[in-house]
Each structure stands twice: as structure tokens, then as C-alpha cells.
Amino acid sequence: MKYFINILLLLSVTQIDAQGFNKTTDIGQRAAIFTNISISNDTITLIGLNYDTTLPYRAGVCFVQMDTFGNIINQLSHYTNEDFWSPSNKQGFIKLKEHKGYAIIGNHFNSQRGYLLRLDENGEYIFLKRYLIGDFLTNYWQHILETNNGFLVALNKQKPDYDNNCFVYRLDKFGNIQWQISIGDEKYDFVTDLTKRSDNEYMLSRLAAVNYGNTNQTDDRTQTVITGFDSTGNILWELNTPLDLEEGGATGIRKMANGDWLYATAKPLLIDESWFAQNKFVRRDSNFNLVWEKEYGFPSYRGGGFEDFKPYPGGGYVATGYLANGSWQSGYVCRVDDDCNPVWERLDTAFYYPNEAFNILAASDFLASGSIITCGQTRNYDEQKSYGWVLKITPDGCIDTLLCNPIVGAPQLPDSEQMTVQVYPNPASDRVHFRSLPMQAGRMEIIDSHGSIRGIVPIVQGQSEWSADVSALPGGIYFYRVIGAKGYFITGRFLVL
């Protein structure tokens, strides 16, 4: 009997551990957000920004550690009296292998100086090193890598004429600058990635832009530029895409075994004199010629996109970020296979309001079980307070395993049964119509940009046309998901005016 009870307890714990969660984190501060994450031995370490609860409301770095159930087991805050500071919202936080503990880079709000903060494995202070900005207006310290005896840091510097330049610093283990190089010659250059290929070769990706941000789209041009350099700062090579509006810098770039390049990017779009970004994955051959590109999500208003793109331990990749639709911002995570075909996509919110919502995901890491932990920030408008936000997503894209609702989920239709669905009118204002080859019995779900199902239309066996009333839906982009009796999915999107 005792053996049987132990088996039941083990099964119960395993089932609970497989369950995901969607948690906001109040660490007792006036506000807190998470920008980066690292997982080691089932301990989730989060870094971010928080505001003190007492005057003068200092801004500093928060260090939070959780177990795999999302329970806080350790938390610390670090402030300075003379300046506010913020960690980078890019790859500005790493768990160190050679030196142990953690390294964090970011910027001081008032002086606009960059900094390097070293913490031990428990988040205790080791040292803080600040850096002068010289003749520049601001320094934006974005990405950090650990080297054999120190660090590489990629940053942007803004000049008095507001042009932007990219720099790489080589720091020793105490944060002293050993060398620096400037990369880029366009009017606007923005660091988007810093990657190690070997002990003597590194890659910096940047967005190079001309007239970017003007409403006259014919004058706007952007491109992805990747520069290779060695451990002493010598430029080895440089590759770039055409100077057009197809890409905006590479995130998570990697050189594959066959010499091809793979990365995530965003295509700038000008729609009704407003800027949008369309997420996509891009693969290029060894000469940087386009092999394929695959779009994900929907055009995101005023930014949005992939903040993080990294290999998934079980194969393929996971991309993390957010999508914006008007005044709504929703966290976005997608898992893809080795060729960037969809496994699943999710849109999530923590606090939902009918007129606006602010939910951004910044970075992800992985548990040994294959579950994905992703972090970011959300805002409670009733309390006028920002919270750190953490999601645990199971390998199949679920948070609640009983009510799993990723936007796209396996299995897809097999090749022999591929179908397409025509949607018209698109955009629609009153009723949207759908047409396809004769369908299996099933249903169609209409899903808003927050991942909520806003309507269900039944489909009978052999039906090839159906429609949905969308007159009561707020204007915006919606997804449809057609689910057949065998569980096959067909997905797409449409716009409601």
C-alpha cells in the first residue's frame, strides 16, 4: 500500500510540474518589470527594473529567483543614490561560467552612462562599474557576452546631431575597457544582436537605416548588416541585405552547419501613415542570398516584434516578444521546427482592459522538462502599477493543460489533405465569409489579439461556405482557426474595421 501511495504522489507531482502558469509578480516595490531570464538546475533567475516605495522613488535593478512553480525563493534590489538605472531589455544579462555569478549591463537614466554590474550566485553585490559617454548624448548598452577573461559588450551611442553609431567594447573581468571599435556608417545604426562563433570570431548584427521613421516611405530604406570581428577587434568580414524596407536587423542570428544563415527580423510597414512591424524568420545561403522567409503573427502597430530567438532543446526554435494592435499589446511566443514551420503560437495577457492593455514579453529560457519560462512586464491600470510577468508554457504550447488554446497547434493537415480558406471581404465591417473545398465536420473559432475566443461557427460535413457576424467586434486584427473532426487545423487572419 505504501508503495502504491508513493507512486500516486509521484504521478501527482509530475502532472502538477507539467502544468503551466501565468503569474504577475509583486516584489513589494512601487513597480517592477522583468527584462531577462536565466535557468540553472531548475532555479529561475529573473533580472529587471524596480522603483523604490519611498521618496525619492529610486529606480534600480531587481534580482528575483523562483522555483519551477513560480514561487519566489530569493529577491534583492540594488540602488544607487545619485542616479536611476535600468538593465538592458536586450541580451543584457548572463549567468557566468568562468567567473560564476551574474553580469548585468544597462544605462543610468539621468547621466545616460552605461554600466556593468556584477552579482554573485545569490544576487549579492560584487561591484558596479560606470562608463563615461564622452562627446555623445547617450549610451545604450544592449548586449553582453562572456569571454575567456572578461566580456564583450555591444552598445549604441547617439551623437549631438542624433545620428546613431554602434560600438563593441572589450572589458576585462573587472570591467576595465581594453579596446573598442566603431561599426557602421549609415545615418542610423542600431545594435540588434551579438553572437559568438568561436573563441576568435564574433558577429554583430545591426539595423542600418536611411531616413527611417519619416512618413514619406519612398525615402525610407533599412537593411540588416552582419559584421564579423576577431578577439582583438579586427574586422574580418561584413554581409548585408539590400537597402530597402524588407528587414530591420537580425535577432538570434546563427551560422548553420551547411553555411546558411538563420535569424529573426521584422519588416517595417507604413500603413495609413503609421509604422507597423511584421515579424518573420529569414534563411540565407552562405553568400547571403535569400533562401526563404516566413512571416509570423500580424503587423504590429508602432513596434512589437521578436525580442528573443533561440534554439529549443527538443529541436527547432522559440521566439518571444509582443504584438500591438492599436492600444492593446499582448505577449507573443511561438515555437517552430528546424525549418521555422509552426508548431504553435500564443498570445497572452495578464491584465485585460477594453480600451487598452500593456503586456510585453522580453526573453525565454527552458526547463529540463522542455517547458518554456518567459518573462516580461504588464500593467494594472486600476492600480496604476507595473508588475513583473512570468509564464510557464508546456512543450505543446499550453498553460492550462485542460484548457489549452494556442493560436496554432499540431497536428496540421497532412500534405495530401492541404486546404486553403478564402476570406472575404477582408477587411470586413458587418459579416465575413469563408470558402474552401468541402470540409470535415468541425468548427471555426474567431480569436482576438489577446488569445481570447470571440466566436465559434459550427461546420457540418461537406460544407464549403460559411460566415460569421463581426459587427459587434471592436476594430482590429483577428485570427480564425478551422478545426476538423480529426483535429486538423487551418489558420489565418482578417481585419475588422
Side-chain angles (χ1 to χ4, degrees):
M1 174 64 85
K2 182 178 180 181
Y3 176 78
F4 179 69
I5 292 174
N6 286 339
I7 291 293
L8 285 178
L9 288 174
L10 178 62
L11 290 173
S12 298
V13 170
T14 302
Q15 184 176 8
I16 293 173
D17 187 53
Q19 190 88 341
F21 57 71
N22 182 337
K23 289 191 173 184
T24 56
T25 304
D26 187 350
I27 60 174
Q29 303 296 322
R30 194 165 67 95
I33 63 175
F34 294 138
T35 59
N36 280 283
I37 182 173
S38 176
I39 297 177
S40 178
N41 298 323
D42 282 344
T43 296
I44 302 165
T45 301
L46 302 152
I47 203 75
L49 166 71
N50 63 0
Y51 287 87
D52 202 356
T53 55
T54 57
L55 290 172
Y57 296 136
R58 299 171 299 172
V61 172
C62 65
F63 178 94
V64 175
Q65 291 181 312
M66 295 179 172
D67 62 22
T68 58
F69 301 101
N71 302 310
I72 294 177
I73 56 179
N74 181 30
Q75 69 177 68
L76 292 168
S77 296
H78 298 280
Y79 300 100
T80 61
N81 291 323
E82 65 270 21
D83 204 350
F84 289 2
W85 54 346
S86 170
S88 165
N89 61 355
K90 300 295 183 182
Q91 300 167 0
F93 166 63
I94 52 174
K95 180 174 175 59
L96 303 178
K97 298 177 181 178
E98 181 178 347
H99 311 295
K100 295 187 178 180
Y102 300 90
I104 303 161
I105 60 170
N107 303 87
H108 290 291
F109 286 160
N110 297 334
S111 66
Q112 297 299 325
R113 293 189 297 173
Y115 69 80
L116 168 68
L117 173 65
R118 280 289 319 279
L119 304 177
D120 68 15
E121 292 182 301
N122 297 313
E124 298 286 352
Y125 180 93
I126 298 177
F127 72 77
L128 171 68
K129 183 84 172 181
R130 300 183 181 90
Y131 300 87
L132 297 175
I133 64 174
D135 295 330
F136 293 86
L137 292 178
T138 57
N139 284 347
Y140 297 104
W141 286 48
Q142 300 280 23
H143 300 262
I144 184 170
L145 292 176
E146 185 179 15
T147 63
N148 291 335
N149 196 32
F151 309 97
L152 280 177
V153 174
L155 59 146
N156 296 318
K157 291 186 178 184
Q158 190 175 62
K159 296 187 290 188
D161 61 1
Y162 301 105
D163 286 358
N164 225 61
N165 294 116
C166 301
F167 285 78
V168 176
Y169 285 0
R170 171 68 163 88
L171 311 178
D172 65 19
K173 63 182 179 180
F174 302 107
N176 300 307
I177 299 175
Q178 296 184 311
W179 54 255
Q180 60 178 286
I181 55 174
S182 175
I183 297 176
D185 55 8
E186 295 294 340
K187 182 169 179 152
Y188 301 102
D189 288 287
F190 300 91
V191 173
T192 58
D193 200 49
L194 179 65
T195 307
K196 177 180 177 179
R197 288 198 64 201
S198 69
D199 287 339
N200 196 40
E201 187 177 2
Y202 299 85
M203 300 183 295
L204 177 83
S205 172
R206 72 183 194 270
L207 158 67
V210 176
N211 296 327
Y212 185 49
N214 294 337
T215 55
N216 185 357
Q217 190 174 11
T218 59
D219 293 335
D220 293 323
R221 291 169 289 161
T222 63
Q223 65 182 159
T224 294
V225 184
I226 303 168
T227 304
F229 59 95
D230 65 19
S231 58
T232 60
N234 297 307
I235 303 297
L236 302 175
W237 49 263
E238 189 164 273
L239 297 169
N240 58 268
T241 64
L243 190 57
D244 50 28
L245 270 175
E246 288 298 316
E247 293 188 15
T251 297
I253 188 165
R254 51 193 34 85
K255 188 80 175 288
M256 308 183 76
N258 68 347
D260 283 2
W261 300 88
L262 179 67
Y263 53 88
T265 187
K267 176 180 179 178
L269 297 172
L270 190 65
I271 303 175
D272 294 332
E273 297 189 352
S274 295
W275 282 103
F276 290 71
Q278 174 63 62
N279 294 329
K280 61 182 179 180
F281 301 117
V282 176
R283 184 165 182 165
R284 295 184 178 275
D285 65 20
S286 58
N287 296 318
F288 226 52
N289 298 309
L290 183 66
V291 177
W292 50 250
E293 57 183 27
K294 299 178 181 181
E295 294 185 352
Y296 274 75
F298 52 78
S300 186
Y301 178 61
R302 289 185 179 176
F306 293 133
E307 300 290 328
D308 189 32
F309 176 55
K310 61 185 57 169
Y312 180 67
Y317 305 89
V318 169
T320 307
Y322 67 98
L323 296 176
N325 180 10
S327 299
W328 291 277
Q329 292 170 312
S330 299
Y332 177 61
V333 183
C334 69
R335 181 182 164 195
V336 298
D337 64 18
D338 290 335
D339 292 318
C340 290
N341 298 311
V343 178
W344 49 258
E345 301 174 74
R346 291 194 62 90
L347 280 171
D348 287 284
T349 61
F351 297 109
Y352 173 79
Y353 297 89
N355 296 319
E356 59 183 336
F358 184 81
N359 305 271
I360 291 177
L361 294 173
S364 295
D365 206 351
F366 312 108
L367 296 172
S369 64
S371 288
I372 300 159
I373 306 294
T374 183
C375 69
Q377 59 177 302
T378 185
R379 184 159 183 80
N380 185 318
Y381 286 96
D382 294 330
E383 301 174 1
Q384 291 298 304
K385 182 175 179 178
S386 294
Y387 287 87
W389 186 28
V390 184
L391 303 179
K392 179 180 179 181
I393 305 172
T394 62
D396 56 354
C398 300
I399 287 181
D400 186 333
T401 55
L402 298 178
L403 299 170
C404 183
N405 188 37
I407 298 172
V408 177
Q412 296 287 327
L413 284 167
D415 291 340
S416 61
E417 298 183 49
Q418 285 293 341
M419 289 187 179
T420 59
V421 174
Q422 295 177 331
V423 184
Y424 62 96
N426 189 8
S429 57
D430 298 317
R431 182 168 290 275
V432 60
H433 300 269
F434 302 84
R435 178 186 297 154
S436 73
L437 295 174
M439 296 290 297
Q440 305 169 7
R443 69 183 188 277
M444 183 190 71
E445 297 173 345
I446 296 175
I447 304 168
D448 65 20
S449 60
H450 311 287
S452 300
I453 296 177
R454 302 299 296 269
I456 297 177
V457 178
I459 300 174
V460 300
Q461 183 72 30
Q463 188 172 355
S464 60
E465 294 188 25
W466 61 96
S467 64
D469 183 1
V470 296
S471 59
L473 295 178
I477 296 175
Y478 292 80
F479 296 90
Y480 65 86
R481 176 171 57 185
V482 179
I483 306 174
K486 296 180 182 179
Y488 298 139
F489 289 25
I490 306 172
T491 60
R493 58 181 181 255
F494 61 94
L495 180 66
V496 173
L497 298 177

